[in-house]
């Protein structure tokens, strides 16, 4: 079997002609395999959905009970037959129970790590390398300038700021699925045990993480209606970055805007977003991790789905690994 009979780019996303299914399709399809719950990968309206139990639960939290026709939960490592094609899900280390999917038929294995991250993170199972002939990877931070620092050291900057500006409300922007729970857990691991206030839109996902055994400590709603803005003096308030652009944020006491994202490496992005305290905390591989993953897997070919494809393709060529960009559209990861 040729690799493109197993997976090929199509308008709706990565398509498996042999098994007639898509991986993370960007528009409704009859059968979808979903790697994780970020909104650019997990969309509502598919016929049948196959994903980990947690990804299915997260989709239900975000889109409601009837987000798809039928659903099937895949356990990590379980081999599932779809019209003669074997698929299996493996930890990707990106958000809670996010998966890389291996697709096998006719002695050929293609692996789609999609969004993944290496390095320690107590809110998810670590990434596991899964050997495959072809590696399909995004290149979200696919430029050599992207080196993500140690997350605890980044969080230490927030704790230092809290000591320096005890009057100010520290508003920490973090995407609602994965990043928000991760930064709260990081705060706890850095010894911060005061209540953390959360924007209402984070409540259900934080509750879900807690129900899956991720201890987030004392979480309270960041509701101003009842109280006085000075109630939040010196407090940490976590919310989606979109909330910090509106009036909600300005009602806090001398708000100091922090933002946890891999993009905070780019000074210009922090400036444009009015971020006073950028924290480089990412749920994606940085350049050294991306290239280490490819070296470790030593595939016959690398397919780069989206992001900064050209630089990674060029690096692969120089490393003697054939590579090509797939130019998939519609993936602007919400969880960078
Ligand atoms: Zn993602």
């Amino acid at each position: 079997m040729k690799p493109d009979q197993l997976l090929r780019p199509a308008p709706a996303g990565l398509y498996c002609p042999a098994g007639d299914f898509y991986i993370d399709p960007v528009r409704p399809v009859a059968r979808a395999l979903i790697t994780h719950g970020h909104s650019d990968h997990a969309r509502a309206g598919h016929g049948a959905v196959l994903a980990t139990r947690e990804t299915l639960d997260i989709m239900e939290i975000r889109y409601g009970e009837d987000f798809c026709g039928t659903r099937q939960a895949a356990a990590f490592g379980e081999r599932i037959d779809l019209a003669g094609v074997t698929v299996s899900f493996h930890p990707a280390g990106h958000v809670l129970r996010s998966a890389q999917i291996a697709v096998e038929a006719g002695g050929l294995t293609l692996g789609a790590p999609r969004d993944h991250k290496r390095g320690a993170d107590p809110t998810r199972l670590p990434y596991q390398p899964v050997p495959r002939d072809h590696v399909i990877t995004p290149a979200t931070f696919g430029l050599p300038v992207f080196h993500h620092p140690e997350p605890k050291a980044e969080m230490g900057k927030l704790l230092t700021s809290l000591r320096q500006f005890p009057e100010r409300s520290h508003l920490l922007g973090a995407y609602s699925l994965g990043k928000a729970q991760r930064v709260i857990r990081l705060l706890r691991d850095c010894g911060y045990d005061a209540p953390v206030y959360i924007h209402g839109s984070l409540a259900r996902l934080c509750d879900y993480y807690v129900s899956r055994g991720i201890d987030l400590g004392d979480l309270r709603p960041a509701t101003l209606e009842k109280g006085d803005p000075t109630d939040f003096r010196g407090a940490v308030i976590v919310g989606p970055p979109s909330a910090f652009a509106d009036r909600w944020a300005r009602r806090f006491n001398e708000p100091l805007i922090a933002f946890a994202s891999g993009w905070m490496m780019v000074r210009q992005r922090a400036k444009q977003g009015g971020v006073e305290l950028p924290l480089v905390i990412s749920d994606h591989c940085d350049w050294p991790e991306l290239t280490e993953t490819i070296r470790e897997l030593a595939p016959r070919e690398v397919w780069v789905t989206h992001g900064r494809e050209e630089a990674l393709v060029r690096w692969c060529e120089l490393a003697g690994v054939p590579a090509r960009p797939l130019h998939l559209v519609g993936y602007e990861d919400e969880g960078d």
Side-chain angles (χ1 to χ4, degrees):
M1 187 174 287
K2 287 196 175 132
D4 67 354
Q5 288 173 277
L6 213 43
L7 282 177
R8 68 167 68 133
L14 261 186
Y15 178 60
C16 174
D20 193 21
F21 61 81
Y22 285 84
I23 296 178
D24 291 352
V26 295
R27 56 180 81 154
V29 300
R31 181 182 283 282
L33 277 55
I34 307 289
T35 59
H36 67 290
H38 278 150
S39 55
D40 52 336
H41 294 261
R43 298 178 195 241
H46 303 307
V49 170
L50 176 62
T52 63
R53 159 63 43 216
E54 288 76 2
T55 296
L56 293 172
D57 289 345
I58 287 166
M59 290 176 80
E60 185 172 320
I61 289 170
R62 304 190 111 180
Y63 304 128
E65 230 172 87
D66 54 355
F67 69 88
C68 67
T70 59
R71 65 187 88 175
Q72 183 184 345
F76 280 145
E78 181 188 359
R79 294 169 64 78
I80 297 166
D81 182 87
L82 297 176
V85 175
T86 303
V87 299
S88 54
F89 289 61
H90 307 270
H94 177 58
V95 299
L96 185 70
R97 295 275 162 170
S98 61
Q100 30 174 344
I101 297 174
V103 179
E104 306 169 47
L108 185 71
T109 306
L110 269 63
R114 308 314 297 266
D115 295 339
H116 75 292
K117 172 168 62 66
R118 306 175 69 112
D121 173 359
T123 65
R124 60 212 75 175
L125 287 173
Y127 163 80
Q128 282 173 9
V130 178
R132 68 290 295 265
D133 303 305
H134 289 247
V135 163
I136 301 159
T137 185
T140 309
F141 292 110
L143 286 175
V145 297
F146 289 109
H147 280 253
H148 298 152
E150 172 57 39
K152 273 191 177 172
E154 289 298 288
M155 193 49 85
K157 294 178 186 170
L158 181 75
L159 299 177
T160 303
S161 176
L162 283 164
R163 283 191 295 272
Q164 281 175 334
F165 307 106
E167 296 295 304
R168 300 185 69 183
S169 301
H170 284 61
L171 271 54
L172 174 53
Y175 292 106
S176 55
L177 170 60
K179 187 62 68 62
Q181 296 77 26
R182 185 174 176 213
V183 295
I184 295 167
R185 187 59 246 170
L186 253 177
L187 273 165
R188 302 310 186 197
D189 291 339
C190 291
Y192 186 81
D193 54 12
V196 170
Y197 296 88
I198 56 171
H199 185 268
S201 64
L202 303 183
R204 290 193 68 197
L205 285 168
C206 286
D207 286 348
Y208 183 67
Y209 266 62
V210 172
S211 79
R212 304 305 294 168
I214 311 294
D215 182 8
L216 300 178
D218 186 356
L219 295 185
R220 298 185 190 179
T223 322
L224 276 176
E225 282 76 12
K226 301 176 201 126
D228 181 327
T230 57
D231 290 352
F232 294 94
R233 205 182 281 168
V236 175
I237 299 132
V238 180
S242 56
F244 293 173
D246 67 27
R247 278 186 16 209
W248 181 82
R250 290 197 292 276
R251 294 184 300 180
F252 289 99
N253 198 58
E254 300 177 56
L256 185 152
I257 308 279
F259 183 26
S261 164
W263 295 115
M264 291 298 99
M265 276 285 296
V266 184
R267 229 169 260 271
Q268 198 57 26
R269 284 230 188 181
K271 241 188 199 169
Q272 277 167 359
V275 177
E276 200 171 327
L277 182 63
L279 303 179
V280 184
I281 299 174
S282 175
D283 284 339
H284 287 274
C285 284
D286 61 5
W287 176 260
E289 290 172 327
L290 264 178
T291 52
E292 181 192 344
T293 301
I294 293 167
R295 254 197 219 107
E296 182 178 82
L297 295 171
R300 269 191 253 166
E301 191 173 22
V302 172
W303 295 353
V304 187
T305 56
H306 65 284
R308 277 138 199 81
E309 297 147 306
E310 304 307 332
L312 191 61
V313 166
R314 182 85 187 114
W315 178 90
C316 288
E317 283 165 2
L318 291 172
V321 181
R324 63 182 165 109
L326 297 187
H327 304 298
L328 289 186
V329 293
Y331 300 98
E332 276 302 323
D333 208 84
E334 70 154 327
D336 54 24

